Amino acid sequence: MEDAGRSARKVEAQVAEAVAAVRARAPQAAPRVGLVLGSGLGAFAERVEQATRIDYAELPGFPEPGVAGHAGRLLLGSVGGTEVAVMQGRAHYYESGRADAMKVAVRTLAGIGCDILVLTNAAGSLVEWAPPGAVMLVSDHINFTGVSPLFSEVGDARFVDMVGAYDKELRKNLKQDAVRCGLELPEGVYMWCAGPNFETPAEVRAAKVLGADAVGMSTVPEVILARHAGLRVAALSIITNLAAGISETPLSHAQTMEVAAAASDRVQGLLERFLANLSEGKH
Ligand code: HPA
């Protein structure tokens, strides 16, 4: 195992290099909001105005794109008048077995000035009020993996308070914006499951007993990293299916991509309105 001190110094160096690379490529950029686009939401990148596109390959420590539907690009530009840094593609725990795969990326977003992080994902639903095609605002999470992206961190800051991790004010703003968009936006608890296999029906029953409303394979490590870095966080789940054992339909990544793409326009509209209201000082 890598020595904790050495790996911390490596992360710090990669963040510094990535921040410098972004500043060199987009010297005027002063992003306020970071966004991570999950499955099916990649098209939001087209809404970024005056975008500078930087391949992750140019940013040390950024994820290597692996999963179909995830590009590997950071975009700097603006949406609705708010300056943003958009991650088109994320790393998942299941790709490498490393829960900290997004550590450099999240810290880089903080390093270039973001103080809000909005995460999106695809998820399976456990509840009838969030059927496939619905969009759920994450109110809290359950970490079902037993790992943390902060393993091997040192110092008192690693003991991150997770109360209010999904920022109350941002949630209120997003709910108001959803009403204006004519979009239903129920709130629910997201459970992080390791993947890449889907859950078993017994795991889904357990998830329900434990208090989850949806299950998915991402987002939670980024939320923990973002809270550690002092960012305010919001997360949206596109419900792409009923979780294992709830319906007869076999689960597949193809279905995830198809349903997420169908809901994508509504989520993009919501994000655009949220960013416009932010720039106009309405949030
Ligand atoms: N489980 C886990 N992750 C998912 C699911 C699911 O049912 N659907 C989309 N992502």
Side-chain angles (χ1 to χ4, degrees):
M1 203 166 121
E2 214 171 345
D3 162 69
R6 186 149 25 98
S7 102
R9 284 192 296 279
K10 185 173 158 198
V11 167
E12 223 173 284
Q14 286 180 322
V15 171
E17 259 186 76
V19 168
V22 172
R23 295 239 163 91
R25 288 285 310 277
Q28 315 299 338
R32 182 174 173 199
V33 179
L35 290 110
V36 177
L37 304 180
S39 299
L41 262 182
F44 184 76
E46 285 153 32
R47 300 196 185 214
V48 182
E49 288 163 22
Q50 288 166 348
T52 301
R53 295 179 176 76
I54 309 176
D55 286 339
Y56 289 168
E58 295 176 49
L59 300 170
F62 269 59
E64 285 169 30
V67 184
H70 290 280
R73 252 188 315 268
L74 179 69
L75 279 79
L76 288 304
S78 69
V79 177
T82 293
E83 282 206 49
V84 292
V86 178
M87 288 191 67
Q88 206 181 5
R90 60 153 51 93
H92 302 82
Y93 173 50
Y94 62 73
E95 291 170 72
S96 60
R98 296 191 59 125
D100 64 354
M102 288 286 281
K103 190 185 266 186
V104 171
V106 169
R107 290 185 185 170
T108 299
L109 294 179
I112 58 176
C114 296
D115 60 12
I116 293 174
L117 183 62
V118 180
L119 301 147
T120 62
N121 62 48
S125 176
L126 310 185
V127 292
E128 76 290 340
W129 48 259
V135 184
M136 187 185 91
L137 180 62
V138 180
S139 58
D140 202 349
H141 76 229
I142 298 170
N143 179 351
F144 203 49
T145 66
V147 297
S148 167
L150 299 178
F151 280 173
S152 87
E153 283 289 317
V154 293
D156 287 355
R158 72 184 132 163
F159 301 110
V160 180
D161 183 357
M162 295 302 291
V163 178
Y166 298 84
D167 191 88
K168 215 171 168 181
E169 193 67 26
L170 294 178
R171 277 157 55 198
K172 194 175 101 194
N173 297 155
L174 281 161
K175 285 183 88 93
Q176 282 169 356
D177 297 338
V179 171
R180 308 246 157 71
C181 291
L183 173 73
E184 278 198 60
L185 191 63
E187 283 195 325
V189 174
Y190 175 92
M191 179 182 270
W192 177 31
C193 301
N197 52 289
F198 288 103
E199 301 70 34
T200 65
E203 285 164 349
V204 168
R205 287 195 298 275
K208 183 134 192 186
V209 170
L210 291 175
D213 299 306
V215 285
M217 305 176 194
S218 68
T219 303
V220 167
E222 290 121 280
V223 172
I224 296 170
L225 288 164
R227 293 304 298 143
H228 182 251
L231 300 172
R232 296 164 68 206
V233 171
L236 296 164
S237 292
I238 297 181
I239 301 299
T240 54
N241 56 280
L242 296 173
I246 298 181
S247 96
E248 302 284 302
T249 317
L251 303 179
S252 70
H253 187 59
Q255 181 196 30
T256 298
M257 294 309 300
E258 194 185 313
V259 181
S264 168
D265 275 352
R266 284 178 288 137
V267 178
Q268 290 183 44
L270 172 62
L271 290 173
E272 191 153 15
R273 184 168 297 242
F274 169 76
L275 293 165
N277 282 339
L278 202 60
S279 82
E280 289 162 18
K282 291 184 191 152
H283 284 339

